[in-house]
Amino acid sequence: MNLWIDARMLSCSGIGTVLKNLIPRLAKPPLSITLLISPKDQRIVDRWVSCKIHLCDAKIYSAHEQIAIKKILKPCDLFWSPHYNIPLLPIPAKKRAVTIHDAYHLAFQKTLSWKQRLFAKFMFSQAIRRSDAIVTDSQFSRKELCRFLSVPEEKISIISPGVDIDRFSQSSSLETKEALRKKYHLPPQFFLFVGNIKPHKNLKLILEAKKLGAINIPFVIAGKKEGLLTCDPLIATLGEELQWIGEVLEMELPALYQMALCLVFPSLYEGFGLPPLEAMAAGCPTIVSHKASLPEVCGKASYFLYYNDPEELKEALFKVATDDALRKALQEKGTVQASLFPWEKS
């Protein structure tokens, strides 16, 4: 089977993580894989020697990408779009598949301009209509897509992303951790948040809990805050109240999770939510919102926040920081929960 993949989002968080983990596992008989990639990502795919490559520098969500993909694409059995920005022009693919990871751009339309809202609504509906197979990450996302787009549930398949258990569970050396501590000026103890600085990530709750004097342990925020379609206005306070260290290298994530006292992930909307799963695989306890897909992903292995209340988070932080038995139980349950999501299964 000749499979073409639009892999221009390899460097992005979330979708990029999915692509980087699935492509090497798919690149073997009976599949023959051809990738559309951005020129800046060529170094990532150099080791995937079994994949053919076509460079495409067209910007995501642009009119240019529609024309560029049409010109580059050759006859194939299947074309996979890992995001809702599918080709609108006719393409020489026998079948088309799309993965729509969540319905954020429909559920949080107020964070978008009117042009962005119109574009998102149009592209989502076209992705549903033009694709032979529609995939999403969770039961929650499937219900959201059905709610906003009036599509029958049976038309959408669920394939959950995974976690590289071996990579995250392997204990990082003291030298690695010390180098990371010096590079990012990390404190001896810290709570950790991993994710892009977007409104639905709910950093507001962390700020409010911190102002209540929850516990004298700093917060470290690892994530992107520039160049996002929607950005949290709270970024102006990150330098004052929270220690923002920017995007960390992928190879640094396991050690960062292992160094953290706990991952705090109060997000209000997630199609899946990879950071809690990665933290669990690394042996890091997790505090997460009981919202969206997070109960599916975290099972009974997290300390859940049910009310989106700073007092509730304050209590959770205190308990996880001071109760060794609770922290150990969360670690043990987390290891088991992460093992349910290997990339091979995806």
Side-chain angles (χ1 to χ4, degrees):
M1 180 187 290
N2 189 359
L3 168 64
W4 280 59
I5 302 173
D6 182 358
R8 290 174 298 135
M9 297 183 77
L10 269 173
S11 294
C12 298
S13 60
I15 294 173
T17 300
V18 171
L19 289 170
K20 279 180 279 198
N21 281 280
L22 284 187
I23 291 172
R25 291 172 169 86
L26 291 171
K28 51 191 170 186
L31 295 181
S32 172
I33 292 183
T34 303
L35 305 175
L36 285 177
I37 66 164
S38 171
K40 64 181 173 59
D41 292 333
Q42 191 159 3
R43 57 180 177 77
I44 298 176
V45 300
D46 281 344
R47 63 185 183 276
W48 301 339
V49 292
S50 59
C51 295
K52 300 171 187 175
I53 293 170
H54 284 272
L55 299 181
C56 180
D57 61 358
K59 187 179 178 182
I60 304 295
Y61 306 130
S62 69
H64 181 207
E65 75 176 342
Q66 296 295 331
I67 299 167
I69 291 175
K70 169 72 173 175
K71 286 182 177 179
I72 295 171
L73 190 59
K74 301 293 189 294
C76 61
D77 296 304
L78 178 63
F79 182 83
W80 175 33
S81 301
H83 194 37
Y84 70 79
N85 59 324
I86 64 158
L88 297 174
L89 298 173
I91 58 173
K94 294 178 184 176
K95 298 286 184 180
R96 295 167 53 145
V98 63
T99 300
I100 306 177
H101 296 275
D102 58 53
Y104 172 80
H105 291 150
L106 301 176
F108 283 74
Q109 291 191 38
K110 291 181 179 179
T111 66
L112 306 175
S113 69
W114 69 269
K115 288 183 179 179
Q116 290 168 336
R117 288 198 295 270
L118 286 175
F119 176 81
K121 182 74 174 181
F122 173 73
M123 291 301 295
F124 269 90
S125 62
Q126 291 300 307
I128 294 290
R129 186 172 72 84
R130 294 171 183 264
S131 301
D132 298 285
I134 306 157
V135 175
T136 194
D137 294 353
S138 60
Q139 293 279 2
F140 170 77
S141 282
R142 178 160 70 177
K143 289 183 182 300
E144 286 288 274
L145 292 172
C146 294
R147 178 166 74 96
F148 285 108
L149 300 169
S150 301
V151 56
E153 280 197 17
E154 58 268 21
K155 282 198 69 175
I156 304 176
S157 300
I158 297 171
I159 301 177
S160 298
V163 63
D164 190 336
I165 297 162
D166 290 340
R167 185 165 76 88
F168 282 95
S169 63
Q170 185 175 354
S171 295
S172 301
S173 67
L174 292 176
E175 291 79 9
T176 298
K177 292 178 180 178
E178 190 55 35
L180 205 60
R181 196 177 301 280
K182 288 180 179 179
K183 178 179 178 179
Y184 295 112
H185 308 289
L186 299 174
Q189 273 193 322
F190 59 90
F191 294 115
L192 177 67
F193 169 87
V194 174
N196 291 336
I197 315 304
K198 295 182 177 181
H200 69 284
K201 297 296 184 180
N202 203 21
L203 287 175
K204 176 185 176 183
L205 188 68
I206 293 177
L207 283 168
E208 290 174 346
K210 192 173 188 301
K211 289 175 181 177
L212 290 175
I215 193 167
N216 192 27
I217 294 175
F219 272 91
V220 170
I221 310 297
K224 183 179 181 180
K225 65 177 182 177
E226 286 92 12
L228 300 173
L229 190 63
T230 56
C231 194
D232 195 331
L234 285 172
I235 61 169
T237 66
L238 287 183
E240 303 166 15
E241 300 289 342
L242 309 172
Q243 184 181 342
W244 178 69
I245 61 174
E247 286 185 274
V248 300
L249 299 176
E250 200 170 304
M251 66 181 70
E252 296 172 335
L253 269 176
L256 188 64
Y257 285 127
Q258 291 167 23
M259 294 167 69
L261 186 64
C262 177
L263 175 79
V264 182
F265 199 73
S267 182
L268 300 174
Y269 198 91
E270 294 290 328
F272 187 74
L274 280 171
L277 205 59
E278 293 172 344
M280 290 178 187
C284 177
T286 55
I287 297 174
V288 304
S289 295
H290 197 270
K291 303 286 184 184
S293 64
L294 292 173
E296 289 180 58
V297 176
C298 299
K300 297 180 179 179
S302 288
Y303 189 113
F304 282 111
L305 305 172
Y306 290 91
Y307 304 107
N308 193 34
D309 179 70
E311 286 284 354
E312 181 189 26
L313 178 55
K314 173 184 174 180
E315 181 182 352
L317 295 171
F318 180 80
K319 284 184 176 180
V320 173
T322 59
D323 189 334
D324 292 342
L326 172 62
R327 201 161 54 250
K328 184 177 180 181
L330 289 172
Q331 289 173 321
E332 291 175 350
K333 290 178 182 178
T335 300
V336 174
Q337 183 68 14
S339 70
L340 302 178
F341 293 91
W343 280 112
E344 287 73 19
K345 184 178 178 180
S346 299

